[in-house]
Amino acid sequence: MTALLQKLPSTIVLGTLAAVFLITCRKHSSMRVRLWVWGWGLIVFHFAVRLLEEAIALPHWFTTAADLTLILFAGISFAVAASPIAELPDPRRKLFLILGTPAVVLSCVTALGREGAWISAFATAVMYFGTIAFFATRKWDWSPAIVLYVGFALSGAYSVVQVVRGFVEFPVLLALMWMFLLAGVLHVRVYKRVSSGVVTMFFGFAGWAMVYGLSAFFPAVSNSFGEFSEFWNVPKYILGFGMILVLLEDEKLTSENMSERERALNQQLESFAEVTSRLLTGEDVRSLCGQIAQVITTVTTFQRVAVLLADEQQKMYLAGTAGIGIEVAVKLEVSVRELTTEQIGILSETGRKVGRTSFIFSREQLKPFGAIEGTKDFGSNPFWQQGDELLVPIRSPKGHFVGFFSLDEPRELTRINSAEMSKLELLADDLGVAIDRAYLQRELVRTEKLAGIGQLVAGMAHELNNPLTAVLGYSEIMAETSEDPQVKHQAGIIQRESTRMKRIIENLVRFAKQDKAERRLLSVNHTLDEVLKLWSYQAKSRGIKLDVEIEKDMPRVRFDETQLKQVLLNLLNNAFDAVDNSDDKRVTVRGNLNHGIVSITVSDTGVGFQDPEKVFDPFFTTKGVGKGPGLGLSVCYGILKQHGGDIRAFNVQPHGAGVTIEVPVAQQELALTLDV
């Protein structure tokens, strides 16, 4: 009864510490903390076994074996908790098997006496040398590992010698010393901070290891304290308080990290909101791309960012960069020059999806497109490899690709996740809306301008026609009635110029009138063939090479045939005039089907447009005096808009110009195309 009363206070104190520890660690779900819980549970059972021995008179050999097994498994749990394999289920189970099986054997042999000395020697060898083999085959990346292996080997050999000499309890005591000493050293290595909790925990482990070291090497000193002395339990109390302090410190650090992360997130949202507000107020997108790239490198984990947008030919160009040197930027600009939006769409289907619309592409996937590879080695990890690239597509509200963000060289690999990408994807969506809005705004301004001019022309055409008819009539009379050759010649000039003025007015009237076109299903291929046949002779006679790249059997469109021919003739006429004085006289006509839209592009190798945005304005022309009033493209613009189509002008690198017209496929034809 006296022995029971001596053990009871320690059991109550350790039980209370264990309860406080369990309450503290409820918010922590890491494997390290779970192994701590498992270890403290074994320690509580260890005390319970001692109490049961006194209370119900259990056999001493049984309680000794159970007591030693429990405390050995507690030491194994604490040591494994701080080892490199704590979070790896399979290696962790193997290590428990390598250490736990010999621990049970050693505990039983120690309880039974010297009869099983050779079994104990074998179990000791398995425990030490098995552990060395386990970590050596895993290539544990820790520089003092070789010293540890030597220590294990010497301890194993010395323990075997002691067992053979009859000290069967020595391997158990030395193993316990190693377990708690390693647990203390490894936990300091894991936490890497000098705090009250970590220091207290280390001294708890070190004190516990010292207790078993004294028992193993200095049994006389150990016996002088007595079997149930509180001296043996002091390290347990210190360790319990230390672990509770470590958990409280972890909670504080987690709270501080969350606050810092929240602050960074707010900064990120504010930065993106500023860019978005400037985009939505109508500021030029291209002028903002450099700032957008800089904002992305500041508030995300990526150090290098490139913003690429599509031009009028749907080809990519470098609009802004951050974190990229001049040489790399030049290489990138050259490599993306031939990259089209269609290729980006195809590429997106092969990437590893990160967020809603963002993808990671490997070096091999991007190699055909000439991507600039990163130089930083990220080692072996599941998040990012050297040469990887993250692309965030920029789409218009209609779903068309208009560009993308290209990001690489991340600082923190764990931040490459869907939550981080969602902000970038929203910024890309806003940028797509801004690009589409800018285009629509330009179209609206142009439409309003043309409408105003149309109303003016409609009102003045009649007033101009009356006096012009009179001038033309009197000039004809003068030419017929006058016998003076000089008068006849001058009257002819008046007649010729009046006729030209009349044609200009007729063009103006045609531009201003909103006649209902005779729309019918029209074969684009057939219409193009007819127009090109007319211009093939012109090309030969003027020394112009006419390249034709037209897809076969394109679906029909609903269009007025005369007006479509008028548009095509106008575009070809402008292109032929543009190359008349060029060394390389080349006109190219391309036709293709893309997402239900028939696209026809006429490009030349002339000098190009001074301002592609103004070419559809009435009376804007780059031709010489007397070669045209500048109404051709304005008329084409009006015809395309009346038929629900679109027209774009652009310059071609290194020189030249091009105009693309887009006409939607007729609904019944589109249905047939989709069925096929």
Side-chain angles (χ1 to χ4, degrees):
M1 189 66 180
T2 303
L4 177 64
L5 292 175
Q6 287 178 333
K7 298 175 183 177
L8 191 59
S10 298
T11 306
I12 293 173
V13 172
L14 263 297
T16 304
L17 272 176
V20 173
F21 174 76
L22 287 172
I23 293 171
T24 308
C25 71
R26 283 184 304 174
K27 297 179 181 179
H28 302 264
S29 59
S30 68
M31 180 52 64
R32 181 178 302 113
V33 175
R34 278 184 274 176
L35 287 171
W36 287 0
V37 172
W38 173 251
W40 278 108
L42 293 171
I43 291 170
V44 172
F45 274 112
H46 151 74
F47 275 91
V49 167
R50 288 190 173 185
L51 289 175
L52 287 173
E53 180 184 12
E54 299 296 334
I56 60 176
L58 291 173
H60 182 70
W61 67 267
F62 176 79
T63 55
T64 301
D67 181 59
L68 291 176
T69 301
L70 289 169
I71 201 68
L72 274 168
F73 269 92
I76 294 170
S77 298
F78 290 138
V80 172
S83 71
I85 50 94
E87 301 292 338
L88 306 174
D90 289 339
R92 187 176 65 243
R93 283 193 289 267
K94 290 179 182 177
L95 185 57
F96 264 102
L97 185 65
I98 292 171
L99 294 173
T101 304
V104 174
V105 174
L106 288 173
S107 299
C108 293
V109 172
T110 303
L112 293 173
R114 300 183 179 183
E115 290 78 3
W118 288 104
I119 299 175
S120 179
F122 178 75
T124 300
V126 170
M127 176 180 282
Y128 283 100
F129 293 102
T131 304
I132 293 172
F134 174 82
F135 282 109
T137 54
R138 293 191 60 81
K139 298 179 180 179
W140 193 8
D141 185 20
W142 190 34
S143 52
I146 186 66
V147 178
L148 189 63
Y149 296 156
V150 172
F152 276 4
L154 293 176
S155 298
Y158 186 67
S159 295
V160 170
V161 171
Q162 291 296 93
V163 170
V164 173
R165 292 174 59 187
F167 300 106
V168 291
E169 70 278 1
F170 183 84
V172 175
L173 296 173
L174 188 62
L176 285 169
M177 184 195 78
W178 266 116
M179 296 296 178
F180 290 103
L181 182 61
L182 273 178
V185 173
L186 292 176
H187 274 91
V188 170
R189 178 176 177 267
V190 167
Y191 282 98
K192 297 178 181 177
R193 65 174 186 253
V194 181
S195 65
S196 56
V198 174
V199 172
T200 304
M201 185 170 62
F202 172 75
F203 279 112
F205 279 124
W208 212 339
M210 183 187 69
V211 167
Y212 290 112
L214 285 174
S215 299
F217 293 100
F218 305 101
V221 177
S222 174
N223 292 334
S224 66
F225 284 98
E227 184 181 359
F228 304 115
S229 173
E230 285 299 313
F231 170 78
W232 306 115
N233 295 321
V234 171
K236 300 182 180 71
Y237 303 149
I238 295 174
L239 179 61
F241 283 120
M243 286 188 171
I244 291 171
L245 285 173
V246 166
L247 292 176
L248 294 174
E249 289 170 356
D250 284 347
E251 287 187 15
K252 180 182 177 182
L253 290 173
T254 302
S255 177
E256 290 175 353
N257 289 337
M258 289 180 64
S259 299
E260 180 64 24
R261 188 78 191 100
E262 184 179 357
R263 186 194 65 78
L265 179 60
N266 289 335
Q267 179 187 0
Q268 183 182 35
L269 293 174
E270 288 174 5
S271 301
F272 284 171
E274 180 186 354
V275 172
T276 300
S277 64
R278 293 180 64 182
L279 288 172
L280 297 179
T281 54
E283 192 164 341
D284 182 37
V285 173
R286 299 182 184 184
S287 65
L288 280 176
C289 285
Q291 181 186 348
I292 291 172
Q294 191 63 50
V295 168
I296 293 174
T297 57
T298 303
V299 300
T300 69
T301 186
F302 294 96
Q303 300 180 70
R304 301 202 311 178
V305 176
V307 182
L308 297 104
L309 299 179
D311 60 15
E312 296 291 348
Q313 293 177 283
Q314 302 304 301
K315 291 187 177 182
M316 294 293 120
Y317 69 91
L318 192 61
T321 63
I324 297 177
I326 297 177
E327 292 184 4
V328 176
V330 170
K331 291 180 181 178
L332 182 61
E333 192 166 9
V334 173
S335 67
V336 302
R337 190 169 292 167
E338 298 302 320
L339 189 62
T340 64
T341 56
E342 186 175 356
Q343 289 174 315
I344 295 298
I346 297 172
L347 183 63
S348 298
E349 298 174 0
T350 63
R352 172 163 59 91
K353 194 170 185 180
V354 179
R356 176 173 52 87
T357 60
S358 52
F359 301 87
I360 291 178
F361 299 92
S362 66
R363 176 188 306 172
E364 290 72 23
Q365 289 173 309
L366 293 174
K367 193 172 182 179
F369 303 98
I372 304 302
E373 297 181 3
T375 57
K376 188 176 179 181
D377 185 8
F378 296 91
S380 178
N381 68 86
F383 303 101
W384 194 271
Q385 300 298 323
Q386 183 178 352
D388 283 357
E389 200 82 16
L390 189 141
L391 301 185
V392 183
I394 303 170
R395 295 174 181 263
S396 71
K398 297 177 183 178
H400 301 308
F401 285 102
V402 294
F404 60 89
F405 298 145
S406 175
L407 308 95
D408 64 1
E409 303 289 354
R411 302 180 188 90
E412 300 176 36
L413 300 183
T414 54
R415 289 178 61 187
I416 306 174
N417 53 52
S418 57
E420 286 285 331
M421 292 303 103
S422 62
K423 292 86 178 176
L424 270 179
E425 290 164 351
L426 288 174
L427 179 63
D429 292 341
D430 291 337
L431 189 56
V433 170
I435 291 172
D436 191 65
R437 178 176 175 177
Y439 173 74
L440 292 176
Q441 195 170 20
R442 289 196 303 270
E443 291 294 295
L444 179 62
V445 170
R446 184 180 292 131
T447 302
E448 289 180 350
K449 185 189 295 185
L450 294 179
I453 294 174
Q455 291 177 358
L456 176 65
V457 168
M460 296 186 62
H462 179 70
E463 298 297 328
L464 289 173
N465 263 327
N466 287 337
L468 188 59
T469 301
V471 171
L472 189 59
Y474 279 109
S475 64
E476 290 177 354
I477 294 172
M478 289 175 62
E480 292 174 358
T481 58
S482 177
E483 296 180 357
D484 188 341
Q486 186 175 359
V487 172
K488 283 181 175 289
H489 174 69
Q490 292 173 345
I493 294 174
I494 295 172
Q495 186 178 0
R496 185 174 65 251
E497 294 303 313
S498 299
T499 303
R500 189 166 74 87
M501 291 175 64
K502 188 174 180 63
R503 283 199 303 268
I504 292 174
I505 292 174
E506 287 173 353
N507 283 334
L508 285 170
V509 171
R510 189 181 300 113
F511 165 74
K513 287 174 66 177
Q514 299 293 326
D515 292 337
K516 187 176 181 180
E518 186 183 347
R519 302 182 187 181
R520 60 186 181 85
L521 287 176
L522 189 66
S523 169
V524 177
N525 291 89
H526 179 70
T527 306
L528 276 169
D529 285 342
E530 289 187 348
V531 172
L532 291 172
K533 284 177 183 177
L534 293 174
W535 281 90
S536 60
Y537 174 77
Q538 282 270 1
K540 290 179 182 179
S541 63
R542 295 165 68 171
I544 298 171
K545 185 174 182 181
L546 182 61
D547 295 330
V548 179
E549 302 172 13
I550 307 294
E551 284 187 14
K552 294 182 179 180
D553 301 323
M554 285 190 291
R556 294 179 294 177
V557 299
R558 189 168 290 280
F559 215 98
D560 182 277
E561 183 177 8
T562 303
Q563 291 188 349
L564 180 57
K565 288 181 178 179
Q566 180 183 354
V567 170
L568 295 173
L569 289 169
N570 208 323
L571 298 184
L572 287 166
N573 183 53
N574 288 344
F576 275 54
D577 287 347
V579 299
D580 266 341
N581 298 321
S582 299
D583 295 332
D584 179 20
K585 297 182 179 182
R586 186 187 300 271
V587 173
T588 304
V589 180
R590 293 187 177 91
N592 63 284
L593 177 67
N594 186 18
H595 300 295
I597 301 292
V598 172
S599 177
I600 302 171
T601 300
V602 179
S603 58
D604 59 66
T605 55
V607 295
F609 297 121
Q610 293 179 354
D611 188 350
E613 297 294 330
K614 293 183 178 180
V615 296
F616 300 111
D617 294 348
F619 306 110
F620 180 85
T621 180
T622 58
K623 297 180 181 180
V625 178
K627 289 190 175 182
L631 288 171
L633 288 178
S634 299
V635 172
C636 293
Y637 177 89
I639 291 173
L640 264 299
K641 291 300 180 181
Q642 286 178 25
H643 288 80
D646 200 3
I647 183 170
R648 301 191 310 271
F650 54 89
N651 284 322
V652 179
Q653 297 297 332
H655 56 81
V659 177
T660 296
I661 64 171
E662 295 179 343
V663 184
V665 175
Q667 289 298 319
Q668 53 267 54
E669 291 288 308
L670 183 59
L672 290 173
T673 304
L674 294 175
D675 289 340
V676 174

